[in-house]
Amino acid sequence: MTINILISDPLSEDGIYPLRQEKELDLNIVSNTGLSPAELKGIIKDFDVLLVRSQTKVTREIIEAADNLKLIGRAGVGVDNIDLEAATEKGIIVVNAPDGNTNSAAEHTTAMIMALARHIPHAHMSLQEGRWDRKKFVGVELKNKTLGVVGFGRIGQEVAHRAKGNRMNVIAYDPFLTAEKAEKAGVAYGSVEDVAKVADFITVHTPLLDSTRHMINEDIFKIMKDDVRIINCARGGIIDEDALYAAIESGKVAGAALDVMEEEPFVGHKLLDLPQVIATPHLGASTIEAQESVAVDVSNDILSYFKFGSVLNPVNMPSVPKDMVAKVEPFFDLGYKIGNLVSHLTDEAINEINIYYSGDLANFDVRPLTNNTVKGILTRNLGNHVNNVNARYLAERNDIKVNEHKSTRAKAFLNSITVELVTDHTTHKIKGTLLAGLGARIVQVNDYVVDIVPDGHILMIRHTDKPGAIGLVGTLLADQNINIATMQVGRTSEGGDAIMVLSVDYAVENVDFLKQQKNIFDVKAINL
Ligand code: NAD
Ligand code: MLT
């Protein structure tokens, strides 16, 4: 199968080298940059992979037209140019490159802080214009000043580290910043207001979220120290640009260094007319090293996805370390099959899915396994568009609660997975295990103990335990020329409810001839 890859933003050629030299997969790489949204929408259905930086806006409209798209790769950190909800709904995995440009962005921020403190761009321009103006460009030192870092993630921490090298004091705010982490990084910490009140320079390093949009606003500017300097090398929109403009005009803010703004490109923005502002056109990640690194990271994830079904940097799937995935991977198929089998035990709407992991398996991060199991359950009614990316989302959208339960205590089996479906009136469950050397087995269906190989074509027949029931089913199947490969019978009590599970050689399309029998009250034909 040819995998069609569209690169719609300029990417480092060295970075996509892993894709270019791939031999095992048949890749068709198309580079087509600068497409309009309508042009992209027109061609996207032909592609399995879309590889972007930040210019391409991967909107819901584009995603809805992307009938064959399986993966969107973002060569960079921020995924605000991708409609993640739409991608998840459509089962498209989004991967990014979260580490590749950290250093580049931190160095750019540091350069901006220094350039701002010493008026370097304006001094340079004045010199170019033929002036020798030494008085006009008197700057301030960083030593003993306080840098406020809002957003203490990868880049925030690197910027803080460099600021300490410049003998600055650092105070940070991040909802995930604990006293212990702050102490380890050698920084003070507090709320965003605490940072605003004491900092001489404030740099923001959060993603743009509903909670961070305009978090640096008029109220926050009011409580800042006079002559504070503001830096944004993260995302436009974190700082309210009108409030910043007013704060500079009023003299409260001595200067601002901006690599990003709410609308990009921001050529002609009113903030650029202010002499206190310096700016770069979103260059934080624009180094040869970072561009190569982010493109290599996403390229490797594309290859990993198509070869092994797992990726290192998923944005809309749980990120589980490779060695953990390796531990649970052998159970993927079993989880899917148990899920699919149990879904056939009821036709009622499911309220709750309980997945019980026991034995060794309970020591691992089983989220990818849960996704695959839920996929098995939902596939019966939702069809093939359910995949590991959207299974949990689709369960949620259908008001189905998914609960994972873990117990390291192994009973009869070293490891087992039990999937229970709860509806308004019933609870159904199936338990399976992997037997060393023998492979997957279903060992329990509701209260019946069984031993079934979950493979091929299965008939699950619920009936009343009466003499001759097995013979009758055998004869009826023989009449239809259906050969039985294996048969398992379980019952709760003599003469009570019983179950027959048969594996047959061919798919049974119509089971009415079985359902019409007096003592048979349910028949399900399942193809695994
Ligand atoms: P990260 O995920 O490592 O760090 C972001 C931090 O922001 C997290 O620690 C998070 O807890 C924190 N945060 C979230 N909400 C917050 C809030 N309300 N208040 C304070 N902190 C909050 O991300 P990163 O790799 O450090 O990237 C930071 C930003 O820089 C992102 O917006 C990214 O897109 C941007 N970026 C820009 C460039 C560029 O070219 N200018 C380059 C790389 C990254
Ligand atoms: C990012 O979020 O990684 C940056 O904005 C870099 C970019 O893609 O230009």
Side-chain angles (χ1 to χ4, degrees), residues 21-183:
Q21 55 92 61
E22 170 61 23
K23 298 275 180 299
E24 205 179 305
L25 301 171
D26 177 16
L27 305 182
N28 171 35
I29 305 168
V30 177
S31 209
N32 197 347
T33 58
L35 292 166
S36 70
E39 286 168 333
L40 179 59
K41 192 179 162 193
I43 61 167
I44 194 66
K45 67 174 184 324
D46 299 332
F47 292 93
D48 303 283
V49 175
L50 175 63
L51 199 40
V52 301
R53 269 187 72 185
S54 51
Q55 292 95 314
T56 301
K57 306 292 170 228
V58 193
T59 57
R60 180 174 283 276
E61 209 182 333
I62 301 286
I63 288 170
E64 274 167 6
D67 288 340
N68 292 304
L69 203 62
K70 292 154 191 85
L71 186 148
I72 299 169
R74 161 71 166 102
V77 190
V79 282
D80 36 309
N81 56 322
I82 299 168
D83 190 326
L84 286 181
E85 207 177 282
T88 305
E89 282 173 31
K90 204 148 181 184
I92 299 169
I93 183 163
V94 179
V95 299
N96 70 347
D99 303 306
N101 59 28
T102 301
N103 187 68
S104 172
E107 285 185 7
H108 194 73
T109 309
T110 307
M112 292 291 260
I113 294 172
M114 290 190 166
L116 185 63
R118 304 305 287 266
H119 310 290
I120 288 171
H122 292 109
H124 172 78
M125 279 188 301
S126 137
L127 199 50
Q128 271 188 326
E129 284 158 10
R131 289 190 296 275
W132 185 258
D133 210 342
R134 297 185 66 210
K135 280 201 189 108
K136 191 172 172 193
F137 298 116
V138 174
V140 290
E141 291 185 16
L142 304 186
K143 186 179 162 190
N144 294 333
K145 299 286 183 336
T146 297
L147 175 69
V149 181
V150 177
F152 204 62
R154 282 173 290 251
I155 297 168
Q157 288 178 47
E158 285 294 321
V159 169
H161 189 64
R162 284 161 177 76
K164 284 161 62 70
N166 283 324
R167 306 207 205 165
M168 295 185 87
N169 305 309
V170 179
I171 179 168
Y173 164 63
D174 188 301
F176 291 111
L177 184 55
T178 59
E180 197 189 336
K181 202 169 150 192
E183 194 187 337

Side-chain angles (χ1 to χ4, degrees), residues 17 44 83 119 124 169 222 283 318 329 334 340 406 412 433 447 468 474 513 518:
Y17 178 72
I44 194 66
D83 190 326
H119 310 290
H124 172 78
N169 305 309
K222 269 188 201 147
L283 293 183
E329 216 155 28
L334 176 66
N340 197 256
K406 290 174 165 187
T433 187
D447 294 329
F513 68 98
K518 198 165 102 213

